[in-house]
Structures are given as C-alpha cells and as structure tokens.
Amino acid sequence: MDTTRIQTVPATATEAVQRSRSVDRVVRGIATSDGAGVKLTRVLTQNLQRRLDPFLMLDAFGTDNKDDYIGGFPDHPHRGFETITYMLAGRMRHRDSAGHEGLLENGGAQWMVAGAGVVHSELPEQEDGRMEGFQLWLNLPAADKMTTPWYRDMPASAIPTVALPSGGTVRVLAGASHGVAGAVTRPVTQPLYLDVHLPAGQTFAQTLTAGHNAFLYVYRGAVTVGDADGAVVEAQRMGVLDNATRADGVVIKANEDARFLLIAGQPLNEPIAQYGPFVMNTQDQIYQTLADFRDGRFATIPANQAS
Ligand code: MN
C-alpha cells in the first residue's frame, strides 16, 4: 500500500463494547480462478449467502506472479447487486459500457452499483509486481435491483484512515468507526467495511448493530476474537461472527502484527436467485436478465458517475 498518500485522522469517539460476539465458524476459502484465468481465493462462497446476507461473495487475491493475474477480467456483465473492489497493491483499469473509465490502485477502492446492468472490464495495468486485494459482492434490495447503475472510484486519500489511540489504524471504507464516517454510506443494507491494522498485543473494539450479519477476514498475522479464550483466526481465514442477542459489538486482539477486514450489514431476508454475475430474486428474473443481455440491452444503460 502506498502509505504516503494516506493521511490519518484522530478518533473522535471510542467504541464501547460491553459484550463481544464470538466466532461461530472459521472458514477456509476455496482456491479457484475467474475472468481470464485470474487466480483467487473465494472466501465467501454461495453456500454462505444466506448466513451472511446481504453479502454474496468475497474474493481475495494476492500474488507476485504475473501469470496469476495478467489476463484480468475482460468484458463481462453484472446485474442486481453491488461490487466493492479494494486494492492493497497493484493497478487495475476499469472500463464500462457507458464509456466510463477509472484506475484502481494501491490502497484505493471502487464501489459499483451494477443495478439494472453494466458490462465492464477489469484489467491489470502492470506487467509484473504484486497484485493484492479483495472484491466483495453486496446484494441490492428487491426494490433497487433495477436501479440506474453508478460507480465511484476512491483513491487511497479518499478513504478515511483513523489512528487508533492504542496503536494501529482502521480504514473506513463504509459505515463508521471511532466517530469517523466512511467513504460510502448505503441505505437498507447499511454496510460496515473496515480494514484494520493492529500491532501485536493490541485490541480493537467495534460496535455492531444487533441483527446485522458480520464476519472478519484475516489477511496478515492472527487474532483472537472475544474473550481471551476466544477463537483464533489465522491469516487467510474468515471468522463468521455469531448473532448473540446480548452482544453489542466485537473485540479483536492481535496475537501478532495483524491486518483484517471487518464487514457487517443488515440482512435483506429476500430470495436469492444467482446465475453467475447476475443476482436477482426469482428464476424468471434471471431468464429476463439473460434475454436482456443477449439482446444487448445492458450496453445502452447510461451509468452516471456519482460523487
Ligand atoms: Mn466485474
């Protein structure tokens, strides 16, 4: 990450957690490939979509070998949900069917609402070196699945980074932490998306809304969640947090220098019908989507660059 472009801000509030949620399941991702042969780990897989509603997918990618990423993701469609791409290292060029273009690089993110449909490409703009980051899929409520598409490119400097009083930092992509509002706020699903960097021995607390599904994904080091005898989540593992009604947040301790994503959101409790890059509520809507895509009705949708 290009830390020279990240300005930290002080915390303006504490996160007072009386009782922490626990990990009720540790998940090891599945190695797979997508796009034109990009190697990645699918951390949140289809069988967890109900449990982690409103989140549909989390892919983690990280490699120094260009053969693992050089093919990128050539033109492909999406409809019915949002994609959030967070780049720790590397450069990826985005282009869509409405003529929009953006460069996603070191520490930046792109938030895209596919809504009624986009066709886009995501291609590496580097021929060697490290490529590391994540893509999260966030569902849209039934009433918003056919909304006008938009996206927002957020350079590293646009993502608030909070210096924690006890050491470490939290980057607030969405939601709020320690009194600092994130780069993006979304209605209905109210996503919280944090990237937490903690030195060994330090503890991080975050309040979580009761009823919101939540998980963490550790990508460096190892952490203990909840009590001192709580579950240990090691690097490249996801910890699914329980929904204990008495818990008001989560407390996470770094067993060694650790970095992890903490993600939570309000479940939609609506039917999920997925066919590859299309996520709707019913099979009939999927058939309609396939027909719309086949007949070229995606490429004519004007995406507007939101501010
Ligand atoms: Mn895509």
Side-chain angles (χ1 to χ4, degrees):
M1 193 177 293
D2 182 1
T3 51
T4 59
R5 302 198 309 160
I6 295 174
Q7 302 281 329
T8 59
V9 297
T12 60
T14 53
E15 297 280 339
V17 175
Q18 304 299 322
R19 185 183 288 261
S20 177
R21 297 194 193 193
S22 310
V23 169
D24 71 11
R25 180 167 176 193
V26 174
V27 174
R28 177 195 293 255
I30 293 170
T32 183
S33 70
D34 208 339
V38 177
K39 287 198 179 142
L40 51 84
T41 301
R42 187 142 296 162
V43 179
L44 197 173
T45 48
Q46 216 163 345
N47 61 316
L48 286 167
Q49 288 176 340
R50 267 288 143 220
R51 175 64 184 81
L52 292 175
D53 180 8
F55 302 102
L56 299 164
M57 194 187 85
L58 177 68
D59 281 346
F61 50 94
T63 177
D64 296 311
N65 179 0
K66 73 176 173 64
D67 295 335
D68 291 344
Y69 62 74
I70 203 72
F73 302 85
D75 276 355
H76 61 279
H78 295 289
R79 172 181 279 182
F81 60 101
E82 314 186 20
T83 67
I84 302 105
T85 310
Y86 178 36
M87 197 70 120
L88 299 175
R91 291 192 309 281
M92 193 84 93
R93 174 75 60 179
H94 160 267
R95 287 191 179 88
D96 71 29
S97 48
H100 296 115
E101 186 171 332
L103 183 65
L104 182 56
E105 58 185 335
N106 304 332
Q110 187 209 56
W111 199 292
M112 181 178 83
V113 177
V118 294
V119 179
H120 75 162
S121 62
E122 298 153 289
L123 298 170
E125 195 158 283
Q126 63 188 52
E127 286 170 3
D128 52 33
R130 184 152 185 84
M131 177 79 79
E132 182 176 17
F134 308 94
Q135 188 169 84
L136 178 71
W137 287 12
L138 169 63
N139 209 353
L140 278 166
D144 296 336
K145 282 191 176 287
M146 295 300 282
T147 192
T148 305
W150 67 263
Y151 73 90
R152 185 169 152 199
D153 287 315
M154 300 180 280
S157 58
I159 300 171
T161 302
V162 185
L164 298 167
S166 59
T169 57
V170 53
R171 308 196 72 216
V172 190
L173 284 84
S177 183
H178 293 79
V180 177
V184 169
T185 302
R186 299 291 295 146
V188 189
T189 51
Q190 300 169 47
L192 175 76
Y193 190 155
L194 307 178
D195 175 18
V196 183
H197 297 192
L198 275 190
Q202 293 302 320
T203 296
F204 174 81
Q206 176 68 39
T207 54
L208 296 171
T209 306
H212 286 201
N213 288 325
F215 64 95
L216 67 155
Y217 178 73
V218 179
Y219 66 92
R220 295 281 193 285
V223 302
T224 298
V225 180
D227 303 332
D229 62 350
V232 172
V233 183
E234 298 183 322
Q236 277 74 59
R237 298 289 183 275
M238 172 170 68
V240 177
L241 298 180
D242 69 14
N243 291 73
T245 51
R246 287 180 305 168
D248 55 356
V250 63
V251 176
I252 299 169
K253 184 178 181 190
N255 301 351
E256 51 192 278
D257 288 356
R259 298 184 178 194
F260 58 89
L261 308 180
L262 177 62
I263 293 172
Q266 160 93 13
L268 292 168
N269 296 310
E270 293 173 341
I272 299 168
Q274 177 173 7
Y275 182 82
F278 309 126
V279 184
M280 303 301 287
N281 301 108
T282 69
Q283 208 54 46
D284 278 352
Q285 291 168 338
I286 291 292
Y287 296 140
Q288 183 62 52
T289 299
L290 291 168
D292 287 348
F293 179 56
R294 186 193 57 219
D295 298 341
R297 284 192 285 270
F298 273 39
T300 58
I301 295 165
N304 58 311
Q305 171 98 42
S307 55

